[in-house]
Amino acid sequence: MSDELQRITAIDDPYLLLREVTKRLADAQQEVTELARLRRRVVQDLHAQGLSYAQIAEKAGLSRGRIHQIRHTGPAPEGAFLGAGAVTVVTPLRWDAEKKRPVVAMADMNSGKRLEELAKSYGLAVSSGHVQVSGEIDLNRDGLIVVCGPGMSEPMKDLYAQDPVLGWEHPEGEPWALVDRRNGAKYNAGADIEPRRPHDVGYLGRLPRPDGNGSVLAIAGIHTAGSLGVVHLLTSDLNSLWGQVGERHFSTLVSVDYDPETDEPQSVELLCPLYLHDEETTA
């Protein structure tokens, strides 16, 4: 019996015991999920290196059938792109002058819900939260996926400023733009320049938390359609993204053509490479 289990079983208060057992079961389930994900990832990596399932089974002391089962069941390794164990999907609150209360824009709500569904499909526990109307948000938390641009939150503006390759620009009197410092390219939303068209640009990156003890997965569009486009890319191509960046810090830009009536993405593609930040800072 583990020390933690002994501690819990020694609790006399039945209500406290019920709370502690419930919490421990949730934590244990998350741990089991992540261990199963790691096990499947190891088998896939070894097979990709050229080992047969029979060789892996022999070296691991498991049956070939068990290795095949591991390879094809359990949570997929690419789910780790979103986080480990549990994630919190955060969207921004905006002040509605007519309703006189904070609201979430429909496109941001859709982005958040789709991210939650995606995370759940990979066996992750999911909760949600909001960037306050003031822009306040605590970024020093595990498993954060934040859908919010720099114009709505000072903490997010500071987070994006850590990106060594891609940046947000907003000169006085001009619309927001995204800039690739590697080649000097500047990208505007189609709604902000002539001739106007239903096109947006989205940002996707994994950036270091302010306290240095983890990362934040950051998503934003110049407008909300850009964020929806990034989420569409994640839901349709997560395996490829995971294969290229793993759990490293990175960033990229996404071109999004969308339906002007609904903001729904119609065509999504990368505008630049997936920049790995550790390679950029040592270049």
Side-chain angles (χ1 to χ4, degrees):
M1 184 181 294
S2 69
D3 292 342
E4 179 66 4
L5 184 54
Q6 288 182 3
R7 180 190 70 79
I8 292 173
T9 55
I11 296 174
D12 292 327
D13 184 332
Y15 302 106
L16 177 59
L17 176 61
L18 184 59
R19 288 198 300 272
E20 288 292 310
V21 169
T22 301
K23 181 179 182 300
R24 180 56 186 154
L25 280 170
D27 292 342
Q29 183 56 56
Q30 290 180 14
E31 185 174 335
V32 167
T33 297
E34 291 308 311
L35 287 171
R37 192 189 315 280
L38 178 59
R39 182 175 61 175
R40 182 173 173 181
R41 176 181 169 183
V42 171
V43 170
Q44 289 184 189
D45 288 348
L46 289 171
H47 187 60
Q49 293 170 20
L51 274 72
S52 68
Y53 292 129
Q55 290 173 316
I56 297 170
E58 181 181 358
K59 291 179 180 294
L62 299 170
S63 70
R64 184 175 178 179
R66 185 65 173 138
I67 293 298
H68 271 286
Q69 182 185 38
I70 291 170
R71 170 64 181 85
H72 296 289
T73 60
E78 60 265 28
F81 182 96
L82 302 171
V87 299
T88 301
V89 178
V90 178
T91 51
L93 291 172
R94 305 164 189 262
W95 183 257
D96 189 308
E98 291 185 6
K99 297 179 180 178
K100 293 183 172 54
R101 62 179 176 85
V103 298
V104 179
M106 181 59 69
D108 288 335
M109 183 182 297
N110 288 337
S111 290
K113 292 301 181 184
R114 290 168 194 178
L115 285 168
E116 291 177 26
E117 292 169 4
L118 179 64
K120 288 176 182 177
S121 74
Y122 284 99
L124 296 164
V126 180
S127 59
S128 61
H130 296 295
V131 179
Q132 300 304 306
V133 173
S134 64
E136 180 182 352
I137 177 176
D138 177 13
L139 294 173
N140 294 321
R141 293 177 283 164
D142 293 336
L144 280 183
I145 305 174
V146 183
V147 182
C148 181
M152 299 187 68
S153 169
E154 195 68 24
M156 289 302 295
K157 181 179 178 181
D158 293 339
L159 186 77
Y160 287 117
Q162 298 181 77
D163 191 318
V165 193
L166 304 174
W168 293 83
E169 289 190 357
H170 190 207
E172 187 174 352
E174 297 183 23
W176 280 96
L178 279 156
V179 177
D180 186 334
R181 302 187 191 98
R182 189 55 113 58
N183 57 25
K186 179 179 178 179
Y187 301 98
N188 291 100
D192 298 332
I193 57 176
E194 298 292 346
R196 300 187 186 281
R197 61 191 180 102
H199 175 266
D200 203 1
V201 180
Y203 175 102
L204 170 65
R206 184 181 296 117
L207 302 169
R209 278 168 29 177
D211 65 2
N213 293 325
S215 302
V216 177
L217 190 63
I219 296 169
I222 295 178
H223 299 292
T224 54
S227 300
L228 271 174
V230 172
V231 174
H232 179 81
L233 178 72
L234 290 174
T235 57
S236 61
D237 208 17
L238 190 64
N239 185 52
S240 175
L241 294 170
W242 163 253
Q244 295 178 73
V245 305
E247 299 173 48
R248 298 160 72 182
H249 292 146
F250 79 97
S251 58
T252 192
L253 299 179
V254 181
S255 171
V256 185
D257 291 321
Y258 61 91
D259 184 329
E261 298 296 324
T262 64
D263 281 352
E264 287 295 328
Q266 295 182 320
S267 175
V268 175
E269 61 182 9
L270 293 180
L271 276 172
C272 66
L274 292 159
Y275 290 121
L276 295 170
H277 293 176
D278 51 359
E279 294 181 359
E280 295 298 323
T281 53
T282 58

